Amino acid sequence: MPASCDSLVDDIEDIISVSDPTPHDRQSARQNIVPRVRKRNKDQVLEEPPSDSTIPGTQKIWIRTWGCSHNNSDGEYMAGQLAAYGYKITERAEQADLWLLNSCTVKSPAEDHFRNSIKKAQEENKKVVLAGCVPQAQPKQDYLKGLSIIGVQQIDRVVEVVEETIKGHSVRLLGQKKDNGKRLGGARLDLPKIRKNPLIEIISINTGCLNACTYCKTKHARGELASYSIEELVDRAKQSFQEGVCEIWLTSEDTGAYGRDIGTDLPTLLWKLVEVIPEGAMLRLGMTNPPYILEHLEEMAKILNHPRVYAFLHIPVQSASDSVLMDMKREYCVADFKRVVDFLKARVPGITIATDIICGFPGETDEDFKETLKLVEEYRFPSLFINQFYPRPGTPAAKMVQVPAQLKKQRTKELSQLFHSYNPYDHKLGHKQQVLVTEESFDLQYYVAHNRYYEQVLVPKEQTFMGKMVEVEIFEAGKHYMKGHPLSDSKVYTPSIAQPLEKGKVSGLSEECKSLLNNGSSSRGKPPDERSEAFLRTSWGKKEEQMKIVYFLVAVFAVLIAFLGAKLYQTEILGN
């Protein structure tokens, strides 16, 4: 019986008849296929997701920040990015789906508040993301287990962390920003931001410091000194003024050390900044330690005399005992501090010097404390931050022999009584001053302004005064403030070169992203990937045009590869 394969075909090509299309014809036909596009209903209204939706970008977020102005700036940046992505920032914790807790590790009470807030959030079944110096310095603490953490140099990735946390995941980003192995100052300065006060921009000029103070926990979180470039900082200031800001605060763990890691210094930065400050707008310097300003006293005096720079400087002394300063590893003596203060008082008439003092540092004797009292009595600082010593875990000072708690409280009370025994502003009654109005008082009864020396002046709540430079006459002086009557013949000057943003609005956004945010319901109804794409497009700032070119080149390359692939396929078929 013949097998089924007995009928042989001489060649596989024999099964193709003459009338069949050739491979070339088949390839040509394939290229002429036109896909049908499904038409969308333009009138279709996107529905709001249900209230219990787990789609990232639709939730309400409450942000709480403790600590310094640097930490507050970080909180503003995180709020801005989250709002730009589509999340709603709320001031009511009970309404929020997620709590973002931005911590401070300087003192134990601040960390206690932070810990209690975590506990409360968990009791109320809120999602939690932790930020700031506490989790950065000690991420393995028991009460942080299983919780998402965003590191102090990773705030530009807060959207990712929040998104994953809402999905039920725990994420921890604690790495450092580096460029070719060199540590950077932190996240970019041109990120979206929501200013707590639309009139005030807080700019971090560097992170970390060069010291190794034995009591300080912040160094564990912020690390060694890393400065932003002068160009980045000037660009950020320009952007702020274009958004209606009339006052800039420069902040860091130690502004005096700025630039030592990148071959520049603080006076060089300041001279560049004053060039872009509009008339009537003001610049306030942040805290600087004595060692790093000593070599710049001449230039700093000139800058602090500039009409657009507050004659104000915060220089912490911490103790007037050289032996205590040595135990603290402060790298200066009391004579250094006095030299800085005396020089600036002589060269910058009326300057306000603020300082810090720690009461009850380990090993502080009665004689040491008396030296501190003498210093305060001599200089009568108008602004004095008095801190009872708290041993912070992991610091050398925590292992030293502690001063009894009752004695620490007694010394703190005694220093506070001395501070409140004098009134620094009584001699200014009847003076006429130009003041910049920037905020509302806590009791909501006055507007808060500051004069040339960054002294607080309360003025009547006249709506036209907000954000303006006003001339007043001082008629009342308290311990921490003065009150001023606006002069009837004075001219109210507007320093802002643009209309300030509304409170809660996101700064640093392109018109496209502003449109997306204004159309809140339709934006939040979009799939996460579409909103993510829009957010990324609008937050790239200066790199946007460069990225467009990259995308174009990639697209051209892809088309070229596809074309060559088709040609190769066609050649192989015809060759056979």
Side-chain angles (χ1 to χ4, degrees):
M1 181 180 292
S4 60
C5 60
D6 284 350
S7 177
L8 298 175
V9 178
D10 291 336
D11 194 289
I12 191 69
E13 297 290 346
D14 292 343
I15 65 174
I16 302 176
S17 67
V18 177
S19 61
D20 287 335
T22 65
H24 181 272
D25 294 334
R26 287 197 299 272
Q27 181 67 21
S28 299
R30 182 180 300 168
Q31 293 175 348
N32 293 329
I33 294 175
V34 179
R36 294 180 60 188
V37 179
R38 184 173 61 185
K39 294 183 178 180
R40 294 184 180 181
N41 183 2
K42 294 183 180 180
D43 298 328
Q44 181 180 358
V45 178
L46 293 171
E47 296 182 0
E48 283 278 357
S51 59
D52 60 349
S53 169
T54 55
I55 300 174
T58 63
Q59 290 76 17
K60 294 179 180 178
I61 297 177
W62 179 64
I63 301 176
R64 172 70 193 277
T65 295
W66 292 266
C68 64
S69 53
H70 191 167
N71 228 31
N72 276 277
S73 178
D74 287 352
E76 291 179 350
Y77 273 123
M78 289 189 284
Q81 292 171 86
L82 291 167
Y85 187 74
Y87 291 103
K88 183 175 182 182
I89 308 301
T90 179
E91 295 184 358
R92 301 184 63 178
E94 70 277 6
Q95 291 184 353
D97 302 290
L98 180 142
W99 289 10
L100 175 53
L101 305 176
N102 189 19
S103 61
C104 171
T105 191
V106 172
K107 293 188 278 188
S108 297
E111 184 171 350
D112 292 340
H113 286 303
F114 175 62
R115 185 188 296 108
N116 292 336
S117 295
I118 294 173
K119 184 178 179 181
K120 185 176 180 181
Q122 292 170 330
E123 290 172 350
E124 297 182 14
N125 295 317
K126 305 289 187 181
K127 301 285 188 182
V128 184
V129 171
L130 310 178
C133 292
V134 171
Q136 179 74 51
Q138 285 187 298
K140 295 182 179 180
Q141 292 187 85
D142 288 341
Y143 72 93
L144 305 180
K145 285 183 178 178
L147 299 176
S148 292
I149 296 174
I150 180 79
V152 294
Q153 285 213 322
Q154 298 292 329
I155 60 171
D156 55 340
R157 300 181 65 184
V158 65
V159 170
E160 299 172 53
V161 177
V162 167
E163 190 174 48
E164 291 302 316
T165 303
I166 285 171
K167 292 176 182 177
H169 305 149
S170 176
V171 183
R172 296 192 168 200
L173 298 179
L174 295 165
Q176 304 293 319
K177 296 284 186 200
K178 293 184 178 180
D179 182 20
N180 293 325
K182 182 177 177 58
R183 186 165 177 264
L184 300 176
R188 292 199 334 265
L189 296 176
D190 60 352
L191 294 169
K193 188 176 194 180
I194 296 180
R195 300 184 184 96
K196 287 186 178 180
N197 186 334
L199 297 172
I200 298 175
E201 167 70 3
I202 306 172
I203 302 179
S204 169
I205 63 174
N206 56 267
T207 190
C209 68
L210 295 172
N211 299 330
C213 301
T214 56
Y215 57 83
C216 183
K217 188 74 174 175
T218 306
K219 180 66 176 274
H220 296 194
R222 298 284 182 177
E224 294 294 329
L225 178 69
S227 305
Y228 287 98
S229 70
I230 290 178
E231 181 184 9
E232 286 178 278
L233 295 166
V234 171
D235 286 346
R236 182 64 197 180
K238 287 180 180 177
Q239 178 187 331
S240 302
F241 292 128
Q242 291 294 336
E243 294 172 340
V245 163
C246 61
E247 185 171 292
I248 283 183
W249 297 356
L250 299 186
T251 184
S252 77
E253 283 65 57
D254 187 351
T255 58
Y258 169 79
R260 286 174 173 253
D261 58 317
I262 58 173
T264 186
D265 54 43
L266 181 62
T268 303
L269 168 65
L270 296 177
W271 285 124
K272 290 292 184 182
L273 283 172
V274 295
E275 291 177 5
V276 302
I277 301 175
E279 184 179 353
M282 297 297 291
L283 173 70
R284 192 195 81 174
L285 289 177
M287 184 272 289
T288 176
N289 285 310
Y292 305 112
I293 196 174
L294 274 169
E295 62 189 81
H296 301 304
L297 285 178
E298 289 281 357
E299 283 301 299
M300 289 302 299
K302 294 176 185 177
I303 291 164
L304 291 168
N305 274 307
H306 194 283
R308 293 193 287 276
V309 179
Y310 284 117
F312 167 88
L313 202 57
H314 180 191
I315 314 170
V317 65
Q318 304 301 6
S319 173
S321 164
D322 284 342
S323 64
V324 173
L325 292 176
M326 187 175 296
D327 289 341
M328 291 179 172
K329 287 194 175 179
R330 289 293 288 169
E331 299 185 10
Y332 60 87
C333 61
V334 178
D336 293 332
F337 173 81
K338 288 185 174 183
R339 180 185 166 199
V340 171
V341 175
D342 292 343
F343 185 93
L344 292 177
K345 278 181 168 289
R347 300 296 182 91
V348 188
I351 187 174
T352 296
I353 299 292
T355 195
D356 300 358
I357 289 175
I358 296 175
C359 295
F361 185 81
E364 182 186 62
T365 65
D366 289 339
E367 286 302 315
D368 294 330
F369 182 64
K370 285 178 182 178
E371 290 298 319
T372 299
L373 291 175
K374 284 182 187 177
L375 183 76
V376 174
E377 181 66 53
E378 179 183 354
Y379 286 94
R380 292 180 167 252
F381 302 103
S383 182
L384 176 62
F385 302 95
I386 302 169
N387 302 291
Q388 180 179 315
F389 175 75
Y390 290 96
R392 303 297 292 130
T395 62
K399 300 175 183 178
M400 298 177 183
V401 178
Q402 303 295 307
V403 172
Q406 192 60 38
L407 186 53
K408 286 194 289 188
K409 290 181 181 179
Q410 179 184 325
R411 289 175 180 173
T412 303
K413 182 179 179 181
E414 189 174 349
L415 183 58
S416 297
Q417 288 173 340
L418 172 59
F419 174 60
H420 286 92
S421 68
Y422 58 86
N423 294 319
Y425 306 129
D426 284 351
H427 66 288
K428 298 198 174 186
L429 289 172
H431 287 201
K432 295 178 181 179
Q433 300 180 345
Q434 292 281 343
V435 297
L436 180 58
V437 184
T438 55
E439 53 193 316
E440 193 172 25
S441 63
F442 286 115
D443 62 7
L444 307 180
Q445 300 301 308
Y446 300 92
Y447 279 160
V448 178
H450 291 91
N451 61 17
R452 169 86 178 83
Y453 314 103
Y454 202 71
E455 297 163 335
Q456 185 171 270
V457 180
L458 304 179
V459 299
K461 283 185 68 174
E462 175 63 46
Q463 188 64 41
T464 56
F465 290 167
M466 184 56 71
K468 306 294 194 300
M469 188 73 79
V470 183
E471 188 175 9
V472 301
E473 182 177 345
I474 303 302
F475 70 91
E476 182 180 330
K479 176 62 180 175
H480 302 286
Y481 66 89
M482 292 173 277
K483 289 183 181 178
H485 280 310
L487 298 179
S488 57
D489 58 345
S490 69
K491 182 181 178 182
V492 177
Y493 181 77
T494 304
S496 299
I497 61 176
Q499 182 67 27
L501 299 176
E502 294 179 25
K503 188 174 178 61
K505 292 294 183 180
V506 183
S507 77
L509 294 180
S510 68
E511 292 303 319
E512 178 185 6
C513 200
K514 288 178 184 176
S515 176
L516 286 172
L517 289 177
N518 289 335
N519 300 325
S521 59
S522 60
S523 174
R524 285 192 290 273
K526 289 184 178 182
D529 55 344
E530 289 187 31
R531 282 184 286 101
S532 177
E533 183 182 352
F535 170 71
L536 289 173
R537 280 202 312 269
T538 55
S539 64
W540 278 354
K542 294 179 180 178
K543 295 183 179 180
E544 184 177 1
E545 293 301 322
Q546 298 174 13
M547 295 310 299
K548 285 181 180 178
I549 296 173
V550 172
Y551 286 150
F552 175 75
L553 293 175
V554 170
V556 170
F557 184 69
V559 170
L560 182 61
I561 292 295
F563 176 76
L564 292 175
K567 281 292 186 182
L568 182 61
Y569 174 78
Q570 178 180 343
T571 302
E572 289 179 351
I573 294 295
L574 292 176
N576 291 332

